[in-house]
């Protein structure tokens, strides 16, 4: 398979995309790439000032880009519902939904919905958002949902006995669980699409090791090693975003695909299709997680 090349992708004028967490890092690079192909991009961000700055930066590079901002805090289920209501009021189609936003290894915190913060922002917020927008996605021909995963999913375990880390909290454990959950969402949703007459697909992507703002909560000893890691194994947010841009726009992408870098252990490299762990494809656990997520968020997806 030839390397994905954004410059070879023709104009996608007339399409609409949402990219969560698009004011910086991977989300910003993803939004900029979509905007460069004439897609109307909604920057779904918590902070209006940062979103406005990101919009201005994209317009400096692509003056004719079509950008809108709708505020979204994925750690709040009510805020997710508010975002979806505003989007559905303003727009009648949705071609690409990129569930990109997330947090990584923060101190333990519960959200207003009594959810562990990483599971709330990385998983349940996106699960609810996708469900609220599902009718519009299904009504838009060849629409795509892209879930952002991580190589950290390889160490993840879905702990149904302590899903919110109330008994014991491991920063890395909760993060790995959340990224495994995102992959399982992608696969379970595609299994549902396979049983329907729809052209909508669900896929996942991961950036390898990328130098983004997510690293701000890393332990101090890892922060010391960051400059070495950047030089030896990490890649820039622009390169790290390539797998998810490929998932959004690649003409050979099909439902259930997982994309990531092609280098050593998928740390860095050009975007390609990759494999995930056997655990991520466990249909029994995937269905149990799905049903628990529906219970927590109050959203019901089509069977």
């Amino acid at each position: 398979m030839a390397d994905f090349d954004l410059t070879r992708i023709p104009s996608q004028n007339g399409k609409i995309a949402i990219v969560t967490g698009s004011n910086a890092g991977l989300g910003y690079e993803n939004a900029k790439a979509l905007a460069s192909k004439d897609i109307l991009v909604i920057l779904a961000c918590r902070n209006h000032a940062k979103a406005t700055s990101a919009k201005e930066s994209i317009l400096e590079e692509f003056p004719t880009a079509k950008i809108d901002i709708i505020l979204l805090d994925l750690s709040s289920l009510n805020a997710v519902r508010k975002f979806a209501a505003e989007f559905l009021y303003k727009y009648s189609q949705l071609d690409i939904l990129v569930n990109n936003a997330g947090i990584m290894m923060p101190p333990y915190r519960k959200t207003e919905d009594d959810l562990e913060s990483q599971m709330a922002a990385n998983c349940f917020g996106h699960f609810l958002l996708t469900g609220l927008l599902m009718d519009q996605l299904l009504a838009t021909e060849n629409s795509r949902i892209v879930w952002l995963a991580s190589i950290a999913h390889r160490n993840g375990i879905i702990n149904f006995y302590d899903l919110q880390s109330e008994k014991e909290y491991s920063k890395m454990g909760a993060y790995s669980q959340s990224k495994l959950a995102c992959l399982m969402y992608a696969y379970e949703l595609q299994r549902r699409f396979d049983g329907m007459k729809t052209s909508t697909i669900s896929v996942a992507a991961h950036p390898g090791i990328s130098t983004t703002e997510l690293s701000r909560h890393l332990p101090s000893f890892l922060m010391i090693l960051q400059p070495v890691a950047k030089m030896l194994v990490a890649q820039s947010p622009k390169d790290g975003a390539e797998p998810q841009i490929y998932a959004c726009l690649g003409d050979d992408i099909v439902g259930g695909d997982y994309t990531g870098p092609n280098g050593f252990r998928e740390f860095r490299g050009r975007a390609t299709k990759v494999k995930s762990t056997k655990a991520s494809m466990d249909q029994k656990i995937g269905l149990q997680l799905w049903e628990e997520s529906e219970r927590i968020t109050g959203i019901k997806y089509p069977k």
Side-chain angles (χ1 to χ4, degrees):
M1 182 184 67
D3 288 338
F4 172 70
D5 185 352
L6 181 63
T7 63
R8 295 179 181 174
I9 300 296
S11 170
Q12 305 289 300
N13 189 42
K15 291 187 176 182
I16 298 175
I18 294 171
V19 183
T20 67
S22 42
N23 61 274
L26 302 172
Y28 171 78
E29 296 296 341
N30 198 158
K32 183 168 69 170
L34 297 180
S36 76
K37 296 302 172 181
D38 306 310
I39 297 171
L40 176 90
V41 180
I42 287 79
L43 306 182
C45 308
R46 286 186 303 169
N47 187 294
H48 190 271
K50 291 181 179 179
T52 300
S53 178
K55 176 180 177 178
E56 291 172 351
S57 294
I58 294 173
L59 289 172
E60 283 181 12
E61 193 166 345
F62 302 102
T64 62
K66 293 165 284 190
I67 309 287
D68 191 9
I69 296 170
I70 303 179
L71 293 182
L72 172 62
D73 181 357
L74 284 154
S75 68
S76 164
L77 298 181
N78 280 335
V80 173
R81 295 185 186 99
K82 183 177 179 181
F83 171 92
E86 183 173 348
F87 176 83
L88 293 171
Y89 177 79
K90 295 176 74 173
Y91 299 103
S92 59
Q93 72 182 76
L94 179 55
D95 299 88
I96 303 170
L97 171 61
V98 185
N99 289 325
N100 164 84
I103 56 176
M104 184 174 74
M105 301 199 303
Y108 184 73
R109 182 178 68 85
K110 283 286 198 78
T111 68
E112 64 188 42
D113 302 295
D114 202 33
L115 304 173
E116 187 275 317
S117 62
Q118 293 187 87
M119 289 297 290
N122 298 354
C123 302
F124 300 126
H126 281 126
F127 185 88
L128 176 60
L129 175 66
T130 304
L132 292 170
L133 300 176
M134 185 53 62
D135 286 346
Q136 196 167 83
L137 285 159
L138 291 172
T140 304
E141 189 173 0
N142 297 317
S143 59
R144 298 185 185 188
I145 302 150
V146 180
W147 303 82
L148 193 67
S150 166
I151 55 177
H153 91 272
R154 298 168 183 168
N155 300 314
I157 298 172
I158 305 299
N159 183 2
F160 291 109
Y161 300 100
D162 192 20
L163 201 59
Q164 308 305 330
S165 301
E166 294 170 313
K167 298 175 183 178
E168 182 179 358
Y169 180 60
S170 160
K171 292 180 180 181
M172 191 64 204
Y175 180 71
S176 298
Q177 175 181 244
S178 74
K179 287 304 176 179
L180 175 59
C182 288
L183 258 178
M184 300 188 92
Y185 287 157
Y187 294 151
E188 174 62 22
L189 184 54
Q190 185 56 46
R191 285 192 285 268
R192 291 171 178 243
F193 288 159
D194 288 341
M196 302 165 61
K197 291 184 178 179
T198 180
S199 59
T200 301
I201 62 172
S202 172
V203 299
H206 82 83
I209 298 178
S210 184
T211 54
T212 70
E213 290 182 355
L214 282 181
S215 62
R216 64 186 178 275
H217 292 302
L218 287 175
S220 56
F221 75 93
L222 288 179
M223 292 293 285
I224 294 171
L225 296 175
Q226 254 202 326
V228 178
K230 286 181 181 180
M231 183 174 62
L232 296 179
V233 297
Q235 56 187 358
S236 68
K238 181 177 180 180
D239 292 334
E242 190 179 68
Q244 65 198 73
I245 298 166
Y246 173 35
C248 290
L249 300 177
D251 56 13
D252 63 335
I253 294 293
V254 298
D257 275 348
Y258 182 38
T259 59
N262 65 1
F264 174 71
R265 292 190 57 80
E266 299 168 22
F267 289 165
R268 61 194 297 176
R270 299 304 307 276
T272 191
K273 295 184 182 184
V274 296
K275 300 292 185 181
S276 62
T277 61
K278 183 178 179 180
S280 70
M281 294 179 278
D282 187 312
Q283 294 190 32
K284 183 179 178 181
I285 299 298
L287 179 59
Q288 186 178 354
L289 174 66
W290 192 273
E291 291 174 345
E292 180 65 6
S293 299
E294 285 188 326
R295 185 193 67 80
I296 288 170
T297 61
I299 190 73
K300 280 290 183 183
Y301 279 70
K303 291 290 185 180

